[in-house]
Each structure stands twice: as C-alpha cells, then as structure tokens.
Amino acid sequence: MSQLADEPRIWIANPMAVFSGAMSGEDAERDCRGGVVVQGTRIVECVAGGQQASLPVDQIVDASDAVLLPGLINTHHHFYQTLTRCVPSAINQELFPWLQSLYPIWSGLSDKHIEAATELACWELMLSGCSTVADHHYVFNQGLSEAIDIQAEVVGRLGLRATLTRGSMSLSQKDGGLPPDSVVQTEQQILDDSLRLARRYHDAAEGSMLQLALAPCSPFSVTEDLMRETAILAKQQGLRLHTHLAETIDENEFCLRKLGMRPVDYLEHCDWMGPQTWLAHGIHFNSEEIHRLGQHQVGIAHCPTSNMLLASGICPTLDLAAAGCKVGLAVDGSASNDGSNMVQELRHSLLQQRLRYGASKITHQQVLHWATQGSAEVLGRQDIGVLAPGKQADLALYKLDELRFSGSHDPLAALVLCGASEVSKLMVAGKWVIEDPLQTREQLNELISRHQQLAKQLLA
Ligand SMILES: [Zn+2]
C-alpha cells in the first residue's frame, strides 16, 4: 500500500458521457459521471456527477469534451492478416474458397512479416480505443517457429494488454483437412511449443499484461488427437482454450461428413465444453446446442464484420447470452474484415444484430457491454472491462469533434450510431499509450511503409 501511496492520483474529470461497462449499468453509470481517479495501474475511485474526488489529486485531466469508456477488448484476431487485406483472388468469396486462396500466400510468412503485422494491427486497434487484444496465430510454416515470441515482444513494447493464443494446424489436405502441407505441424511439435510458451509467458495474476491460451485453428484443420491433447495440456497449465466454431454451413457439413457429428458434439467429444473455452463466431447452432453451450458457460467472440463480409451468417448473441454463454466482441482477422477498428465493430454489431433481434433489444449500451465487460468475461478476466474502484485503469476517451457528430444529442449513442473511428486518448494499466492521435499517426509513417513493402513482397 505504501508503494501505491507514492503514485500520483490522476482524476479523469467530468466526461460528457460515460459507460461503465456493466449492462445493468444505470446506477454504475451515475456513480462515475464525474469521472474516475487513477493511481498506479488501477482505478481507485469513481466520482459521482457534480462531485469532487474524495481525496486530493495530483493532476486533473479535463475530459468534459469527451466520452469515457473502459478500454475496448478485442477477443479474436489474426494480426498477420493485415498483410493480406483485399487480395484479389480472395475477395468476393465465402470462407472455404477464401481460405484456400490465402493459405499458399500465408505459407510465405517470415519473422519480419509477423513483427510488422503485429505492430500495425495493434496500433490500428489502439487508435480505435482497444486496450486489450486477443490474437489467434495458427500459421507456423518452416522457419516461423517463434511467431508468438515475436508477438509477445511487440505487445510488451507497445504497453498493450494481450492474450496471445498458440494456434495450430495439423490436418493437411493429404489427411482430409483444408490447409496445404506447407502450413501444418506435427502434433508433438505443437504440444511441445505450447508448453514452452505457457511456461515462458503466461501470467495469470490480477493485472496481468500477457496471458497465453491454446487454440487449434478449427475442426477442419486439426486432428481429433490434437484437440484432446490440447485440452489436457490447457487444464494442466491453467490455460484457456480457443478455436473457430460453427462459422459456416460448410463447416457443419464438413464435420458431419468427416467426423460423423456436428461441431458442438465434436467439441464435447474432445472434452472442450466448459467455462475455459471461447469460440470465434458461433453462428450455426440449433437451440439444443445453444442450451448446452450456455450450461457450460462457453464464451463466444462475436465477429459481425467478418461474418457479413464472408456472408457466413448472424451470431445468435442474445439467445447464447440468455442460455448462459459469455458474449464478447471481436474484429476477426484483417483479411476477413479488412480492418481492425473496434469502435467501428460496435456499430456493425448493432446494425447486424438488429436484423435478427430488432431495434429495441439491440441498444448502443448492449454492444458497448459486449466490447467491454462481456469481452473481459470471454477472456476470463475480472480485472478489466469495467469502470469501478480496484479494476485496472484501462480507459478510452473519444472527442466528438468531427463532422459526423455535429448535431447529435446523446453523446454515448453518437459514438456508436454516428460511427466514431478514433480515440482522443487511451490509457492501459494507468499509462497513457495515446495522448495525441495526430502525433501518434505521424510516428507510424515508417511502420506503414515497412508493412506495405512486406505485404507486396509476400504476394510477389
Ligand atoms: Zn478468425
């Protein structure tokens, strides 16, 4: 405690609007309408509207021209895919042909590609207000054995909170899978490296900046043995489990044809059902499967843009949540979104989900909740995603000073409905990582030209 007493107290004061992260949030919102006080890495006080901080503060950051949110949390991404946005052979395709046209390109990824792509994707996410990222890296071609180590170095350098997942593919075309031989590894290679990475990087402590999870790519790219062994290893090491599931009708058909069961049955068959598991997409479930997933408190990374772009379908978010699933938001890989902007993802989620559930059920608070507290729950974290004393000081501030906001009357709704795209400030674990977006963007020019060069080279 004495160490904390030495840290300056910073009051992010009097935002024009605030969202606490909690869905039942009216009381919680009212409680922090006067902003939050940060000390060290944590929020130490929520200040009620019209009130002063209860103890003297060392610095006041006037937030009266900004909307305050908990930092957004992205629950599923593939950073490397920033290098293959809008590839002509892949655009206008659905998932399976889209993947098959990209696998050969991805087989050329090198360390340099991973480093530049990770850095670029992280900045893109951070500029959109994202303070915690989850990445699913599953391409390990020859010579790319240290992709996760590179990602860990980059997120550490940027001061970004992350869950990196050690992905895998072990079922190539010759064994009846979808990926080519050039991007798959043996089960032993995958399990050995997963254990190495868990020992080296996974920090389960409260306030952790880096966690590791295990993530076989999908039922159509790994063997049943690997699914089972990965679940055993995750349990031994206290890691979470992640995979793509029920993204398309094609995948359901593949599972029925090759495995003799639907994806959720397969998940259960491989001993994956439980609160430690979160699934990307989760679209094509029947009502009995939704009930079963809910009973096991499985998490769902809802990826609306990707699902619309690949014409995959609409995630039954409210049904899954009502059944007991945790639901969070995600941009998915940059080749199936062509962007990594979390605040735009909020808008896409609201628009897409209204087609299924109607306007009164899908509010801006609902999608904001998915991107904050909901996403935190999906990643198994109690310490982020909410503005409350004791939680980590991960904060996003948005100024509504662009043309698109002029004339709007509800600042919090305007963020989603008018379509914000960039923060004015971003704090992660009590440190400002973006204070002036203009300056940040100037610093990124070198990165953009290096990334662009590497992207061209990858396709050449
Ligand atoms: Zn994905």
Side-chain angles (χ1 to χ4, degrees):
M1 283 307 280
S2 61
Q3 208 178 3
L4 185 63
D6 294 339
E7 300 270 5
R9 291 168 60 88
I10 305 166
W11 179 16
I12 319 296
N14 301 312
M16 66 199 294
V18 60
F19 181 74
S20 70
M23 191 53 203
S24 54
E26 279 220 7
D27 287 338
E29 268 177 54
R30 208 173 301 121
D31 282 344
C32 48
R33 206 148 282 174
V36 295
V37 180
V38 169
Q39 191 171 25
T41 62
R42 292 199 181 96
I43 296 168
V44 291
E45 184 180 358
C46 283
V47 181
Q51 301 298 306
Q52 297 289 314
S54 63
L55 293 169
V57 296
D58 300 283
Q59 189 194 353
I60 297 176
V61 176
D62 177 12
S64 60
D65 60 353
V67 176
L68 171 65
L69 307 180
L72 304 178
I73 301 169
N74 186 36
T75 55
H76 180 73
H77 203 313
H78 313 285
F79 294 155
Y80 74 89
Q81 291 184 8
T82 55
L83 294 158
T84 53
R85 300 190 227 234
C86 305
V87 171
S89 60
I91 54 175
N92 309 331
Q93 307 248 35
E94 295 186 10
L95 181 71
F96 278 14
W98 173 86
L99 276 169
Q100 281 162 325
S101 65
L102 289 168
Y103 283 139
I105 301 172
W106 295 337
S107 69
L109 287 167
S110 69
D111 289 358
K112 274 188 182 165
H113 292 114
I114 299 299
E115 187 189 6
T118 301
E119 194 169 346
L120 190 117
C122 287
W123 276 115
E124 200 181 346
L125 285 160
M126 285 155 75
L127 276 164
S128 76
C130 192
S131 55
T132 299
V133 297
D135 193 66
H136 185 180
H137 186 84
Y138 54 83
V139 180
F140 291 87
N141 55 42
Q142 290 285 337
L144 196 63
S145 57
E146 295 192 347
I148 306 296
D149 302 80
I150 295 166
Q151 292 189 320
E153 187 278 320
V154 173
V155 295
R157 172 154 43 91
L158 301 183
L160 188 55
R161 207 183 290 283
T163 295
L164 298 177
T165 76
R166 203 300 181 184
S168 51
M169 296 198 286
S170 63
L171 189 71
S172 73
Q173 282 158 2
K174 73 170 170 14
D175 301 316
L178 204 66
D181 280 354
S182 53
V183 289
V184 305
Q185 291 181 301
T186 66
E187 286 164 23
Q188 201 55 52
Q189 278 175 315
I190 292 163
L191 292 167
D192 289 349
D193 194 48
S194 298
L195 181 59
R196 175 187 75 82
L197 291 165
R199 287 181 172 154
R200 176 136 188 216
Y201 296 113
H202 182 63
D203 173 12
E206 191 255 326
S208 167
M209 292 299 286
L210 184 56
Q211 301 200 335
L212 192 89
L214 302 184
C217 186
S218 63
F220 52 83
S221 55
V222 300
T223 57
E224 183 182 324
D225 272 356
L226 185 65
M227 285 292 284
R228 287 179 179 284
E229 291 297 324
T230 303
I232 292 167
L233 182 60
K235 199 169 183 183
Q236 283 167 356
Q237 297 295 316
L239 306 177
R240 297 179 77 71
L241 285 167
H242 182 48
T243 191
H244 293 97
L245 206 85
E247 181 175 0
T248 63
I249 305 269
D250 282 357
E251 179 193 323
N252 280 12
E253 285 168 359
F254 176 95
C255 288
L256 280 170
R257 198 171 60 245
K258 301 268 181 184
L259 309 165
M261 58 188 105
R262 286 170 57 86
V264 174
D265 295 325
Y266 184 58
L267 209 65
E268 190 149 30
H269 176 72
C270 296
D271 214 9
W272 268 58
M273 290 286 258
Q276 77 284 8
T277 295
W278 88 101
L279 307 171
H281 308 293
I283 298 170
H284 299 285
F285 299 132
N286 62 34
S287 52
E288 182 277 324
E289 289 164 346
I290 290 174
H291 176 71
R292 216 173 345 145
L293 290 162
Q295 281 196 318
H296 288 279
Q297 297 173 278
V298 170
I300 304 291
H302 160 47
C303 308
T305 308
S306 168
N307 299 157
M308 291 189 283
L309 199 126
L310 296 175
S312 302
I314 302 179
C315 176
T317 51
L318 294 187
D319 296 88
L320 286 160
C325 287
K326 297 159 282 189
V327 177
L329 195 67
V331 299
D332 199 9
S334 299
S336 68
N337 178 320
D338 298 318
S340 311
N341 188 311
M342 264 303 271
V343 72
Q344 282 181 8
E345 202 69 29
L346 288 167
R347 177 172 161 80
H348 291 172
S349 171
L350 179 132
L351 298 174
Q352 187 217 39
Q353 289 291 311
R354 281 190 173 188
L355 292 176
R356 185 170 200 129
Y357 293 110
S360 63
K361 288 203 174 124
I362 304 294
T363 60
H364 58 277
Q365 291 96 336
Q366 176 64 74
V367 295
L368 282 163
H369 168 70
W370 285 333
T372 52
Q373 189 178 31
S375 284
E377 287 169 356
V378 165
L379 296 183
R381 299 201 59 151
Q382 306 295 316
D383 54 347
I384 55 174
V386 181
L387 302 182
K391 302 288 181 186
Q392 287 289 300
D394 292 1
L395 310 173
L397 289 158
Y398 299 83
K399 271 190 194 172
L400 306 185
D401 57 359
E402 296 165 61
L403 291 171
R404 68 181 79 185
F405 300 114
S406 185
S408 63
H409 300 278
D410 178 331
L412 190 63
L415 202 68
V416 178
L417 299 175
C418 303
S421 70
E422 193 169 279
V423 280
S424 51
K425 288 187 194 310
L426 181 71
M427 177 180 274
V428 184
K431 288 198 183 75
W432 292 115
V433 290
I434 295 173
E435 282 194 273
D436 177 355
L438 209 66
Q439 206 181 5
T440 300
R441 270 191 269 116
E442 274 171 23
Q443 289 164 357
L444 296 177
N445 287 336
E446 181 279 327
L447 171 64
I448 295 170
S449 77
R450 176 160 45 97
H451 181 271
Q452 184 80 353
Q453 244 350 78
L454 286 162
K456 274 194 189 137
Q457 181 221 342
L458 190 63
L459 255 75

